[in-house]
Amino acid sequence: MKKLHALLLSSLLLVSACTPVYDNTDEVVRETKDDSNNQTAIIPNYSLSDDTYRMILTEDSAKVSAAPGVTTNQMDNRLDIAAFEKGLRRHSKEYYSPDDYYFQPGQTLTDAELLNWLSRKSEDNPKGLNPELNEDEASEKEFRNNPRYISNIIEQDYLVRKEDNVVEVAGVTIGISMRTVYNFTAHGREYTENLSTDKLLAKGKEYAAIILERLRNKKELEGVPIVFAIYEEERDNAKSPGNFLSKTYVEASENQVSDWQEINEDYVLFPSDEAEEHHFDDSKLFSDFRVQVSDYFPNFVGMIANGFYIDEELKRVKIDIPIQFRSQSEVVGFTQYVYSLVMEMFEDHYAIQVRINSMDQQESLIVKEPGKKEPFVYIYD
């Protein structure tokens, strides 16, 4: 099991009497099986909020995952990249409380290892998770029958502080991202295969069982519980991210994946047919909001909003308003007007973020948290 030996950073600093000392981090050394490969890191003493993990930051590339290039290279929709990583941390809180655990991007699985897993299985790559297929010679039917289901795997590490300032890995989360659409080329022609949610969920569970077996063979993760979460991506040109489908917690002593828990989450774009059909009242509200904005600024380009639902209940909404301004005074006046609309029109039980943008930059930001009487407003210089 990997460990971190924590050393107080303040004890290493020599300062003069007139120089203030800011004891806001611990300096740590992450101890690995190979003593020559230990890494220096720091732990901030403060988190951004009560429900945010304090992150362990190393001095070099391990500030990010040991496999930093896999996510952006394998996932087509940039909205999926953010929703996948953030969502894994959110779901991990059910098992690893931010009060007790530190966070570090995964340090066990490497770029090369993950890319092998995400490739097709073959004689040269027996650990490939995607179905075996000679893509140079395969027919359209063979491609459709053997799509590349899995697009990405993310590891996240959760650590706790032990006695004698030792911090060790006490939990791992593995995210498995599945393609909604499989694009392929057969004999010089481009095709698309739509993959059903049921099929993706079944394949994702298969992959979780295989990945668990491989992780249990790694000394670094001996005796460590592992959370698995399956994510379904959106289309590459979608304006909303995909959704998590299911998750499970595997005890430290267990070698099998079971007891999957369904996740009922959805990102909904406003305006859209889906919003009108499944969330009519919210759709009407955003339509009215759009009308009020256009009454103030008739030449505004448009507005889109992304709502995030858990168990059919709206939890947060992000609104983007693109407008071309002629002066700073217009920015201030328009921001004040939108602020008043937020106060008057939206309910208090979900979070609201409004970004007001001109063609080349963000002009102002309005954020209202659930239960807060007034929003936070910032106008950029």
Side-chain angles (χ1 to χ4, degrees):
M1 186 177 293
K2 292 185 179 179
K3 296 182 179 180
L4 296 169
H5 293 296
L7 302 173
L8 287 178
L9 180 62
S10 58
S11 66
L12 304 178
L13 299 177
L14 297 177
V15 295
S16 63
C18 61
T19 303
V21 177
Y22 300 104
D23 184 18
N24 61 353
T25 61
D26 283 349
E27 184 174 320
V28 298
V29 176
R30 178 156 188 158
E31 184 180 78
T32 65
K33 297 295 181 180
D34 179 4
D35 291 340
S36 64
N37 196 35
N38 291 346
Q39 293 179 327
T40 301
I42 61 172
I43 303 176
N45 283 342
Y46 301 95
S47 60
L48 297 178
S49 64
D50 292 340
D51 62 350
T52 302
Y53 289 102
R54 280 194 284 164
M55 296 194 179
I56 294 176
L57 306 174
T58 57
E59 61 187 353
D60 49 31
S61 61
K63 286 181 180 179
V64 293
S65 167
V70 174
T71 299
T72 53
N73 290 337
Q74 298 296 316
M75 302 180 76
D76 294 326
N77 188 339
R78 63 178 180 83
L79 297 177
D80 276 326
I81 296 173
F84 186 32
E85 294 192 35
K86 292 179 181 178
L88 283 179
R89 287 197 295 272
R90 173 165 49 82
H91 285 292
S92 295
K93 292 175 184 176
E94 181 178 338
Y95 313 98
Y96 316 127
S97 170
D99 293 335
D100 304 316
Y101 289 80
Y102 303 111
F103 171 88
Q104 187 174 34
Q107 301 300 299
T108 302
L109 301 176
T110 65
D111 256 350
E113 191 170 26
L114 286 179
L115 288 173
N116 284 339
W117 293 7
L118 296 173
S119 299
R120 289 191 180 276
K121 185 177 183 180
S122 66
E123 290 185 6
D124 296 332
N125 184 34
K127 290 195 172 183
L129 294 173
N130 278 301
E132 186 172 0
L133 184 68
N134 184 343
E135 294 189 349
D136 293 332
E137 301 178 0
S139 66
E140 176 190 348
K141 182 178 180 180
E142 289 172 326
F143 269 106
R144 292 192 186 279
N145 290 336
N146 300 278
R148 289 176 177 255
Y149 295 103
I150 185 171
S151 69
N152 194 25
I153 298 170
I154 288 183
E155 171 201 352
Q156 294 181 345
D157 296 345
Y158 295 88
L159 305 95
V160 296
R161 187 184 292 272
K162 299 293 186 179
E163 296 179 356
D164 300 324
N165 286 331
V166 172
V167 182
E168 64 184 18
V169 177
V172 168
T173 294
I174 298 293
I176 300 173
S177 184
M178 310 293 289
R179 289 185 176 89
T180 300
V181 177
Y182 174 51
N183 300 310
F184 62 94
T185 302
H187 303 302
R189 295 186 60 183
E190 295 183 355
Y191 299 93
T192 295
E193 176 72 8
N194 296 319
L195 304 176
S196 71
T197 297
D198 289 344
K199 183 66 172 180
L200 295 178
L201 184 57
K203 296 298 293 187
K205 291 179 179 180
E206 287 182 23
Y207 294 140
I210 297 171
I211 294 169
L212 175 63
E213 181 180 359
R214 295 176 182 180
L215 295 181
R216 287 293 185 235
N217 289 328
K218 293 181 177 291
K219 292 183 178 180
E220 299 95 325
L221 300 182
E222 288 178 354
V224 175
I226 301 174
V227 171
F228 287 94
I230 300 172
Y231 181 85
E232 180 181 14
E233 298 173 17
E234 259 293 356
R235 297 174 180 270
D236 57 3
N237 59 351
K239 295 182 180 179
S240 296
N243 312 295
F244 282 91
L245 302 176
S246 191
K247 63 185 176 182
T248 187
Y249 178 80
V250 181
E251 298 281 356
S253 59
E254 292 181 345
N255 294 314
Q256 292 184 343
V257 183
S258 59
D259 299 326
W260 286 92
Q261 175 185 344
E262 181 183 357
I263 299 174
N264 183 13
E265 296 180 351
D266 194 17
Y267 285 91
V268 177
L269 180 69
F270 296 93
S272 69
D273 293 339
E274 179 189 4
E276 282 199 29
E277 181 178 354
H278 298 291
H279 305 281
F280 179 80
D281 290 342
D282 293 333
S283 181
K284 180 66 166 57
L285 174 62
F286 288 112
S287 177
D288 292 343
F289 179 77
R290 183 188 179 97
V291 170
Q292 293 295 323
V293 171
S294 64
D295 284 347
Y296 180 94
F297 220 120
N299 64 336
F300 94 113
V301 177
M303 180 194 80
I304 62 171
N306 262 301
F308 178 59
Y309 291 81
I310 299 179
D311 295 329
E312 305 298 326
E313 182 179 352
L314 184 60
K315 293 298 183 180
R316 66 173 181 267
V317 61
K318 294 183 178 180
I319 304 171
D320 284 288
I321 305 177
I323 294 183
Q324 186 60 42
F325 296 101
R326 291 171 294 185
S327 68
Q328 178 71 1
S329 297
E330 281 190 348
V331 174
V332 173
F334 183 72
T335 302
Q336 290 175 337
Y337 178 70
V338 174
Y339 174 97
S340 67
L341 293 180
V342 170
M343 291 289 292
E344 294 170 2
M345 298 184 67
F346 292 99
E347 298 183 30
D348 195 42
H349 63 269
Y350 52 83
I352 304 167
Q353 179 189 94
V354 182
R355 295 183 297 190
I356 299 172
N357 311 299
S358 62
M359 292 183 63
D360 57 352
Q361 65 182 11
Q362 185 168 340
E363 299 289 354
S364 60
L365 175 68
I366 301 171
V367 178
K368 188 173 188 299
E369 298 293 340
K372 299 290 185 180
K373 290 184 178 181
E374 295 185 359
F376 164 83
V377 182
Y378 186 82
I379 298 176
Y380 295 86
D381 293 335

